[in-house]
Amino acid sequence: MYRTKTCGELRAANIGENVTLAGWVQRVRKMGAMTFVDLRDRYGITQLVFDTETSDELFEQANQLGREYVIQACGKVRERFSKNNKIDTGDIEILVDKLTVLNKALTPPFTIEDNTDGGDDLRMKYRYLDLRRNCVRSNLELRHKMALEVRKYLDSKGFLEVETPALIGSTPEGARDFIVPSRMNPGQFYALPQSPQTLKQLLMVAGMDRYFQIVKCFRDEDLRADRQPEFTQIDCEMSFVEQDDILQTFEGMAKYLFKEVRGVDLGEQPFLRLSWHDAMKRFGSDKPDMRFGMEFVELDDTLKGTGTFGVFNEAAYIGGICAEGCASYTRKQIDELTDFVKSPQIGAKGLVYARVNEDGSVKSSVDKFYTPEVLAQLKEKMGAKAGDLILILSGDNAMKTRKQLCELRLLMGQRLGLRDKNRFALLWVVDFPMFEWSDEEQRLMAMHHPFTAPKPSDIPLLDTHPEQVCADAYDMVCNGVEVGGGSIRIHDAELQQKIFEILGFTPEEANKRFGFLMNAFKFGAPPHGGLAYGLDRWVSLFAGLDSIRDCIAFPKNNSGRDVMLDAPSIVDEKQLDELCIALNLPTE
Amino acid sequence: MYRTKTCGELRAANIGENVTLAGWVQRVRKMGAMTFVDLRDRYGITQLVFDTETSDELFEQANQLGREYVIQACGKVRERFSKNNKIDTGDIEILVDKLTVLNKALTPPFTIEDNTDGGDDLRMKYRYLDLRRNCVRSNLELRHKMALEVRKYLDSKGFLEVETPALIGSTPEGARDFIVPSRMNPGQFYALPQSPQTLKQLLMVAGMDRYFQIVKCFRDEDLRADRQPEFTQIDCEMSFVEQDDILQTFEGMAKYLFKEVRGVDLGEQPFLRLSWHDAMKRFGSDKPDMRFGMEFVELDDTLKGTGTFGVFNEAAYIGGICAEGCASYTRKQIDELTDFVKSPQIGAKGLVYARVNEDGSVKSSVDKFYTPEVLAQLKEKMGAKAGDLILILSGDNAMKTRKQLCELRLLMGQRLGLRDKNRFALLWVVDFPMFEWSDEEQRLMAMHHPFTAPKPSDIPLLDTHPEQVCADAYDMVCNGVEVGGGSIRIHDAELQQKIFEILGFTPEEANKRFGFLMNAFKFGAPPHGGLAYGLDRWVSLFAGLDSIRDCIAFPKNNSGRDVMLDAPSIVDEKQLDELCIALNLPTE
């Protein structure tokens, strides 16, 4: 061992001990006849002292040290003259009597500090240096702890972690598969799993009863800001359960994790459960941020046909939110909000506002179209009080307008400081629709996935009004982020067949893709259901990160590249030949 | 919840309780006015009783049940008339008053019993039924427990589990990579990791200090009997350590696992450490089975030039083993051994034997070439006693002959019952050679991998006699199986460059493939080393399995196929087009 202690463990009680430390040079400060070196490792920072009194040679050696040199230092622990109460080792320092340079270092291209001067691209290229920063490393420590506690909890509840294969068959439903050519089976391809969904269902058929896995999954999607082509899922499944059993089990897990990993007590009360329909109606989102209220108020009764404002009179939906204490917003601030809702990614036509003055009167951007009585009714309906600002959107598509109003609500929540990263509001959104219509594909698509069970009471509707069928599906939502989701699954081969039909599969297609599952159902499949969490997202939530990238050791950029490894890359012709494939690049 | 209890938990203390169970019908026995059903789930088997006294209708319903039907049964726990002490629930049974069939089952294609009538192929095709068998499921339970305990142990020692990416760059050194076409980067490919070797080294450069990961790895090799294209590694790395630190840490882990998972106390003593050279000399193997002795004795002094047997006189190596109490082997038995060593997979030219008779005289197959004195010397040299059988191989290549003798030793150990699956003999094999000559490639190859550090004292030899250089590399061996292996790594860019040169890489090639690592070494790499265990192999060792296949939920066959999923398979033309690749199949 190159050390007897780490850089994080020495305290006043160790004064007088002879120790050996090893680590990286964080900082060198020369003060006349003394040189101070901050030595860093994963566990902390310890101050080393070199003085001319001990050895001129050693002192000179210390003065040659550069940032990020790897050194080993032996010496005696002594009390520090000026203590540093910002670090755990701040009471002591080491008077060094022997120094060994274990490895030199080029000057790093950015500073190894929490507030680094390195931009994103540079940090990713030199990720091994970026990871030396406390703030990045601590995310990985959190991730480790979180995964460990998940395993402890699920093990204690009788779940078995079973590894499912990474090389499976391609079932192009949902996102695109990454595929892997098979050398031993020329012309054939494996696919990397988008999730172990069908395999975990087979484990239920196999009688495993309670399964989980923390597992890499893969989706070949065009990457949005916060997506990675490979991501990690906490994947769970249980047999002989109904929805409520699953919600209780995983509510328990969430509470356990918040307590053990984040030190937050979520209390005894069960999580709020909101139907998808209510969530959309009240917050315009299937993952509402419940850290604050600002619920939607539907204003059709109040503003449609009660004045001469044509936009409202023709709207299919009029909804408002009340921003407390914002009546004082300037024209400029209101304009900003208007620009926001009219931006292409939101897509609203305009924003109507109404200020509630200190005297209780209402001053609105549509004053000329409505009587003061109507505006007073508006105030009352909105529950607005003096000093509040009412913000109203309308549109000819209720669902679209709600989603626009949701974005406005989130923005106002942000502005009003109602989205504190250290507060956590969890809930279940339940009763999702089974299907949603795809304009692109011109057919019904599974809202969750094709293995989701319809609510038993809705099964008769499958034949007549499939679009009205609710699913036994649920999402766990925290602070406006979907952290996990799942469903009760179909365990009956015939019902599964019918769902595939509704989704537009011919029996042959369904059989080709999912025959192994429907066949398995014929040999005694138990009722079962489960859910999956996105580990990356959950860790980033716990860490208070805006992006999942910094809780991943070696993330990829938006083009799916690892810029550190320079992957993907071209491969040898010989490799392609062995795999019986050839490049087929578009000609310019 | 479909049940109030599992099928494994009811005891005499529960007599009189009303319970609901759910599970699979293992067996139906009709005994006149009573029908007994064994109900099975993951946790055990409970006997259900249906009688005409309770309800004729229910009784009839029970008689309709088939094997593997999924049912729910409500009833009262009562004492069993004839107790079954083979199962934990054998004191009780349930007098059923309500029965619900949750799912019917086709008759499974093989019996769901430990001694099934299903052949390998059928079992793999219906793996979800095969996994219902206790003996298969218990392997997965063991695997779960093992992985959990590994994590507990390493966490307690300060190791962080860090996930490394599965989509990396291809570095074709060693086995073949599986490659994955990148749609977003046309013409370029990711590779699936053969191991996270370079990434874990980068984590050491990043200051993670102690890393581990239980991780899927991939090798596109022609599959031998007991290999899988995807396998799971317990991958570990530590900074600021020397070889001894690593051996101690992981010896500790092995002892912990044997105790916690297998209930075996390996004692306080450190594991035996055998140099690679000694292991080859004494057992002809770098993974000797130390459950028994039967060490090699080199017989050149005794048998070369001391008689007229040309084969020995011209041999480069003559070695023998002494099989205790086997002097009574018949001609037929000896012929079997001769056939074995002459078989193509062993490749020896012949076998010489010598029986030690009860009177101490020696009767040998080469009697006519040697004087009785020489044979007496042979007996003495071999330490053979009356009743023993001496088996001798010779050849013109010492290393090849040793490997042949090793196979014979293992066979004799097997025959003599010296390879008990419930005994465990662990050791470290250390001081491997850095390089081995490849006739195929006509160059030196890394025996471990190119990142392995040479023993510091051997570094000068790199320039003059690289083939003589020993590596700081080590394998953990248990019962003749290499369960893990690793090395101290190079942390110096220049030394790494030199090793690549010796391996025949041009500086450009080395830089293209491993530039990211050598570059990282320039920014302050700490001394580091580690090792990796094969989880599949270790679980199969603990489970006493002959193959790793039965400790994997969904294994692939020798053609790399998952016969249950029918993967790999052909994919849509559209998928290939999007990836800018085309099939390039050989024309007949």
Side-chain angles (χ1 to χ4, degrees):
Chain A
M1 201 68 111
Y2 285 78
R3 66 189 174 206
T4 60
K5 297 281 176 185
T6 70
C7 296
E9 66 180 307
L10 293 170
R11 301 286 183 274
N14 302 99
I15 288 168
E17 287 178 21
N18 282 301
V19 298
T20 303
L21 300 184
W24 286 262
V25 172
Q26 175 78 24
R27 203 172 288 113
V28 180
R29 276 163 297 144
K30 298 171 190 173
M31 317 265 277
M34 290 178 110
T35 290
F36 296 94
V37 172
D38 282 350
L39 188 67
R40 187 196 71 233
D41 67 10
R42 188 184 113 198
Y43 312 95
I45 282 184
T46 299
Q47 177 165 297
L48 309 178
V49 191
F50 299 82
D51 63 18
T52 49
E53 212 170 295
T54 310
S55 156
D56 279 336
E57 199 189 338
L58 201 59
F59 181 72
E60 266 321 300
Q61 228 187 320
N63 285 337
Q64 304 301 319
L65 293 174
R67 278 208 288 135
E68 301 303 316
Y69 271 42
V70 184
I71 63 170
Q72 181 186 45
C74 307
K76 197 181 281 267
V77 184
R78 71 179 192 188
E79 191 175 359
R80 205 154 144 172
F81 182 73
S82 60
K83 305 213 169 25
N84 178 350
N85 58 19
K86 283 189 201 137
I87 58 174
D88 292 337
T89 62
D91 285 348
I92 57 92
E93 63 189 10
I94 316 291
L95 182 63
V96 178
D97 53 39
K98 187 168 171 239
L99 172 67
T100 310
V101 174
L102 299 173
N103 220 338
K104 292 186 177 186
L106 298 177
T107 305
F110 50 84
T111 56
I112 310 298
E113 307 275 358
D114 284 2
N115 279 314
T116 183
D117 57 358
D120 244 32
D121 290 350
L122 205 57
R123 284 176 48 215
M124 290 303 141
K125 182 161 164 53
Y126 295 92
R127 184 63 163 175
Y128 46 85
L129 299 180
D130 193 36
L131 288 172
R132 287 187 190 163
R133 296 163 60 222
N134 276 320
C135 58
V136 184
R137 196 201 55 238
S138 65
N139 295 334
L140 296 191
E141 287 171 341
L142 179 72
R143 187 183 181 106
H144 161 75
K145 169 101 172 140
M146 185 124 177
L148 201 69
E149 295 298 340
V150 165
R151 288 187 162 101
K152 273 191 207 165
Y153 180 85
L154 292 175
D155 177 66
S156 78
K157 300 291 177 193
F159 286 78
L160 294 177
E161 185 161 26
V162 180
E163 291 177 63
T164 54
L167 298 172
I168 62 171
S170 185
T171 54
E173 167 75 8
R176 261 188 224 92
D177 283 326
F178 280 104
I179 61 172
V180 183
S182 166
R183 184 180 52 85
M184 289 210 274
N185 302 274
Q188 300 188 23
F189 294 79
Y190 301 101
L192 301 178
Q194 296 184 30
S195 99
Q197 180 61 36
T198 51
L199 290 159
K200 70 176 173 177
Q201 292 192 246
L202 291 176
L203 287 174
M204 294 303 103
V205 177
M208 285 294 146
D209 205 70
R210 295 184 165 203
Y211 145 93
F212 83 101
Q213 191 182 189
I214 301 186
V215 60
K216 274 275 170 73
C217 299
F218 303 86
R219 276 177 210 174
D220 185 10
E221 291 175 297
D222 296 315
L223 300 179
R224 281 183 274 153
D226 209 22
R227 287 268 178 110
Q228 288 280 317
E230 54 178 303
F231 55 97
T232 304
Q233 209 164 281
I234 305 169
D235 193 48
C236 309
E237 199 79 3
M238 304 168 79
S239 288
F240 299 116
V241 290
E242 289 156 309
Q243 176 172 301
D244 198 49
D245 304 310
I246 295 179
L247 300 198
Q248 277 183 34
T249 302
F250 290 96
E251 209 165 296
M253 184 165 97
K255 287 178 179 179
Y256 174 83
L257 291 176
F258 268 96
K259 189 104 180 225
E260 292 295 319
V261 182
R262 197 54 172 72
V264 169
D265 189 345
L266 294 178
E268 292 294 307
Q269 254 155 299
F271 291 179
L272 175 70
R273 294 185 192 177
L274 213 55
S275 75
W276 179 86
H277 188 261
D278 282 353
M280 294 309 295
K281 207 170 145 69
R282 291 168 55 188
F283 304 98
S285 169
D286 56 4
K287 41 180 193 284
D289 186 343
M290 302 296 279
R291 281 174 296 185
F292 64 105
M294 221 186 277
E295 267 191 47
F296 295 1
V297 178
E298 298 201 357
L299 298 170
D300 298 42
D301 289 354
T302 314
L303 298 178
K304 190 169 175 173
T306 55
T308 58
F309 188 44
V311 172
F312 283 174
N313 288 344
E314 282 150 31
Y317 173 86
I318 310 171
I321 55 174
C322 177
E324 266 186 67
C326 293
S328 57
Y329 262 36
T330 60
R331 181 76 222 172
K332 186 158 167 268
Q333 284 174 303
I334 300 267
D335 284 349
E336 273 170 24
L337 297 181
T338 307
D339 289 347
F340 173 78
V341 300
K342 287 170 80 175
S343 67
Q345 71 266 33
I346 309 295
K349 293 249 170 62
L351 175 68
V352 168
Y353 68 88
R355 305 175 200 271
V356 184
N357 298 322
E358 285 309 316
D359 64 1
S361 66
V362 179
K363 174 78 189 125
S364 148
S365 56
V366 289
D367 273 356
K368 59 180 171 189
F369 303 114
Y370 293 99
T371 61
E373 287 72 29
V374 171
L375 294 178
Q377 276 167 28
L378 169 66
K379 178 179 97 171
E380 197 187 348
K381 182 99 181 186
M382 292 297 306
K385 53 186 195 319
D388 290 353
L389 177 68
I390 298 166
L391 297 167
I392 303 170
L393 292 183
S394 69
D396 50 13
N397 178 316
M399 213 41 110
K400 270 193 191 156
T401 311
R402 285 190 179 110
K403 286 178 184 170
Q404 293 159 356
L405 192 55
C406 167
E407 296 299 330
L408 184 61
R409 172 179 176 269
L410 291 176
L411 179 71
M412 292 311 298
Q414 196 71 46
R415 292 201 167 199
L416 291 171
L418 302 173
R419 303 180 72 191
D420 177 358
K421 282 184 179 167
N422 291 309
R423 277 189 54 231
F424 298 94
L426 286 107
L427 78 154
W428 291 103
V429 176
V430 299
D431 301 349
F432 280 75
M434 273 291 274
F435 307 104
E436 57 187 340
W437 178 258
S438 164
D439 282 336
E440 193 186 334
E441 303 254 346
Q442 284 292 308
R443 64 170 174 103
L444 290 177
M445 307 276 281
M447 191 140 175
H448 189 55
H449 57 52
F451 315 108
T452 299
K455 290 218 161 282
S457 56
D458 285 3
I459 287 181
L461 283 174
L462 284 172
D463 291 318
T464 53
H465 294 287
E467 72 286 355
Q468 291 176 16
V469 174
C470 270
D472 246 341
Y474 33 81
D475 277 355
M476 186 187 278
V477 174
C478 178
N479 293 3
V481 173
E482 179 210 322
V483 288
S487 62
I488 297 296
R489 326 298 183 182
I490 297 165
H491 63 279
D492 177 82
E494 275 177 48
L495 181 56
Q496 186 66 69
Q497 183 76 56
K498 181 188 280 272
I499 299 297
F500 284 133
E501 266 169 47
I502 294 173
L503 292 172
F505 288 81
T506 64
E508 292 72 31
E509 279 174 331
N511 189 56
K512 189 176 148 223
R513 290 185 190 181
F514 301 109
F516 64 93
L517 185 66
M518 287 189 289
N519 207 29
F521 285 170
K522 293 175 188 158
F523 288 98
H528 63 286
L531 90 181
Y533 287 101
L535 179 63
D536 309 289
R537 202 158 299 281
W538 213 353
V539 174
S540 67
L541 195 77
F542 269 31
L545 295 172
D546 292 319
S547 156
I548 59 169
R549 210 173 276 181
D550 267 340
C551 67
I552 297 172
F554 300 108
K556 293 189 175 51
N557 71 12
N558 284 350
S559 314
R561 294 200 70 79
D562 184 320
V563 293
M564 179 186 71
L565 298 176
D566 196 23
S569 61
I570 55 170
V571 298
D572 293 346
E573 204 60 45
K574 189 182 151 210
Q575 281 176 283
L576 300 181
D577 287 346
E578 283 191 325
L579 296 168
C580 297
I581 59 171
L583 296 186
N584 181 23
L585 294 168
T587 46
E588 291 298 309
Chain B
M1 199 67 107
Y2 284 77
R3 65 189 174 207
T4 59
K5 298 281 177 186
T6 70
C7 296
E9 67 180 305
L10 293 169
R11 302 284 182 276
N14 302 99
I15 287 167
E17 288 177 21
N18 281 302
V19 298
T20 305
L21 300 184
W24 286 262
V25 172
Q26 176 78 23
R27 205 173 287 113
V28 180
R29 274 164 299 144
K30 298 171 190 174
M31 319 264 277
M34 289 178 108
T35 290
F36 297 93
V37 172
D38 282 349
L39 189 66
R40 188 197 69 232
D41 66 13
R42 187 184 111 197
Y43 312 96
I45 283 184
T46 298
Q47 177 166 294
L48 309 178
V49 191
F50 299 81
D51 63 16
T52 49
E53 212 170 294
T54 310
S55 154
D56 280 335
E57 196 189 339
L58 200 60
F59 181 74
E60 266 320 300
Q61 225 186 322
N63 285 337
Q64 304 300 319
L65 293 175
R67 275 208 290 135
E68 301 303 316
Y69 271 44
V70 185
I71 64 170
Q72 182 187 44
C74 307
K76 197 181 280 267
V77 184
R78 70 178 190 188
E79 191 174 1
R80 206 153 143 174
F81 181 71
S82 60
K83 306 216 169 22
N84 178 350
N85 58 19
K86 284 190 200 138
I87 58 174
D88 293 338
T89 61
D91 286 348
I92 58 90
E93 62 189 13
I94 315 291
L95 182 63
V96 177
D97 53 39
K98 186 169 172 235
L99 171 67
T100 311
V101 174
L102 299 173
N103 219 340
K104 290 187 178 187
L106 299 178
T107 305
F110 50 84
T111 56
I112 310 297
E113 306 276 357
D114 284 1
N115 279 315
T116 182
D117 57 357
D120 244 32
D121 290 350
L122 205 57
R123 285 175 48 215
M124 290 303 141
K125 183 162 164 55
Y126 297 92
R127 183 65 164 174
Y128 46 86
L129 299 180
D130 192 36
L131 288 172
R132 287 185 190 165
R133 296 162 62 223
N134 276 320
C135 58
V136 184
R137 195 200 56 237
S138 65
N139 295 333
L140 296 190
E141 288 171 342
L142 180 71
R143 188 183 181 106
H144 161 73
K145 168 101 173 138
M146 186 126 175
L148 201 68
E149 294 298 340
V150 166
R151 289 188 161 100
K152 272 191 206 164
Y153 179 84
L154 291 174
D155 177 64
S156 78
K157 300 290 177 192
F159 285 78
L160 294 176
E161 184 160 27
V162 180
E163 290 177 63
T164 54
L167 298 172
I168 63 171
S170 184
T171 53
E173 168 74 7
R176 261 187 224 91
D177 284 325
F178 280 105
I179 61 173
V180 183
S182 166
R183 183 181 53 86
M184 290 209 275
N185 303 274
Q188 300 189 21
F189 294 79
Y190 301 101
L192 301 178
Q194 296 184 31
S195 100
Q197 181 60 37
T198 51
L199 290 159
K200 71 176 171 176
Q201 292 191 244
L202 291 175
L203 287 174
M204 294 303 104
V205 177
M208 284 296 147
D209 205 69
R210 296 184 164 204
Y211 144 94
F212 83 101
Q213 190 181 189
I214 300 185
V215 59
K216 274 277 172 71
C217 299
F218 304 85
R219 277 178 209 173
D220 185 10
E221 291 175 297
D222 295 316
L223 300 179
R224 281 182 275 152
D226 208 20
R227 288 268 178 108
Q228 289 281 318
E230 54 178 301
F231 55 97
T232 303
Q233 207 164 282
I234 305 170
D235 193 47
C236 310
E237 199 79 3
M238 304 169 80
S239 288
F240 300 116
V241 290
E242 288 155 309
Q243 174 172 302
D244 199 50
D245 304 310
I246 295 179
L247 300 199
Q248 278 183 36
T249 302
F250 290 96
E251 209 165 296
M253 183 166 97
K255 287 177 177 177
Y256 174 84
L257 291 175
F258 268 96
K259 189 105 178 226
E260 292 295 319
V261 182
R262 197 53 174 67
V264 170
D265 189 345
L266 294 179
E268 291 294 307
Q269 253 156 300
F271 291 179
L272 175 69
R273 294 185 192 177
L274 213 53
S275 75
W276 178 85
H277 188 259
D278 281 353
M280 295 309 295
K281 207 170 146 67
R282 291 168 55 189
F283 303 98
S285 168
D286 57 3
K287 42 179 193 282
D289 187 342
M290 303 296 280
R291 281 174 294 186
F292 64 106
M294 220 185 277
E295 266 189 45
F296 293 3
V297 179
E298 300 203 352
L299 298 169
D300 298 43
D301 290 352
T302 314
L303 298 178
K304 189 169 175 175
T306 56
T308 57
F309 188 43
V311 172
F312 282 176
N313 288 344
E314 281 149 33
Y317 173 88
I318 310 168
I321 54 174
C322 178
E324 266 186 68
C326 294
S328 56
Y329 263 38
T330 60
R331 181 76 223 174
K332 188 159 165 266
Q333 284 175 302
I334 299 271
D335 284 349
E336 274 172 26
L337 297 182
T338 306
D339 289 347
F340 172 77
V341 300
K342 287 170 80 174
S343 68
Q345 71 265 34
I346 310 293
K349 293 248 168 62
L351 173 69
V352 168
Y353 67 88
R355 306 176 200 270
V356 183
N357 298 321
E358 285 310 315
D359 64 1
S361 65
V362 178
K363 173 78 189 130
S364 144
S365 57
V366 289
D367 273 355
K368 59 179 170 187
F369 302 114
Y370 292 98
T371 61
E373 288 70 33
V374 170
L375 294 179
Q377 277 167 27
L378 169 67
K379 179 180 97 171
E380 198 189 347
K381 182 99 182 186
M382 293 296 306
K385 52 187 196 318
D388 290 353
L389 177 67
I390 298 165
L391 298 167
I392 302 170
L393 293 182
S394 68
D396 50 13
N397 178 317
M399 213 42 110
K400 269 193 192 155
T401 312
R402 285 191 179 108
K403 287 179 183 168
Q404 293 159 355
L405 192 56
C406 167
E407 297 299 329
L408 183 62
R409 173 179 175 268
L410 292 175
L411 179 71
M412 292 312 297
Q414 196 73 46
R415 292 202 166 195
L416 292 171
L418 302 172
R419 302 181 71 190
D420 177 357
K421 281 183 182 169
N422 291 309
R423 277 189 54 229
F424 298 94
L426 285 107
L427 78 154
W428 292 104
V429 176
V430 299
D431 301 348
F432 280 76
M434 273 289 278
F435 307 104
E436 56 187 342
W437 178 258
S438 164
D439 282 335
E440 194 187 331
E441 303 253 347
Q442 283 292 308
R443 64 170 175 103
L444 290 177
M445 306 276 280
M447 192 141 174
H448 189 54
H449 56 52
F451 314 108
T452 299
K455 289 217 162 282
S457 56
D458 285 2
I459 287 182
L461 283 174
L462 284 172
D463 291 317
T464 53
H465 295 288
E467 72 287 354
Q468 292 175 17
V469 175
C470 270
D472 247 341
Y474 33 79
D475 277 356
M476 187 187 277
V477 174
C478 179
N479 292 4
V481 173
E482 181 210 319
V483 288
S487 62
I488 297 295
R489 326 298 184 185
I490 297 165
H491 63 280
D492 177 81
E494 276 177 47
L495 180 57
Q496 186 66 69
Q497 182 76 54
K498 182 188 280 271
I499 300 297
F500 283 133
E501 265 168 47
I502 294 172
L503 292 172
F505 288 82
T506 64
E508 293 71 34
E509 280 174 332
N511 188 57
K512 189 174 151 225
R513 291 182 189 182
F514 301 110
F516 64 94
L517 185 67
M518 286 188 290
N519 207 29
F521 283 170
K522 293 176 188 158
F523 288 98
H528 62 286
L531 88 183
Y533 288 101
L535 178 64
D536 309 288
R537 203 157 297 281
W538 213 352
V539 174
S540 68
L541 196 77
F542 270 30
L545 296 172
D546 292 318
S547 156
I548 59 170
R549 210 173 278 180
D550 267 342
C551 67
I552 296 171
F554 301 107
K556 294 189 173 56
N557 72 10
N558 284 350
S559 314
R561 294 200 70 81
D562 183 322
V563 294
M564 178 187 72
L565 299 176
D566 197 21
S569 60
I570 55 169
V571 298
D572 292 347
E573 204 62 44
K574 188 180 151 213
Q575 282 176 282
L576 298 182
D577 287 346
E578 282 189 325
L579 296 168
C580 297
I581 59 171
L583 295 186
N584 181 24
L585 294 168
T587 47
E588 292 298 311

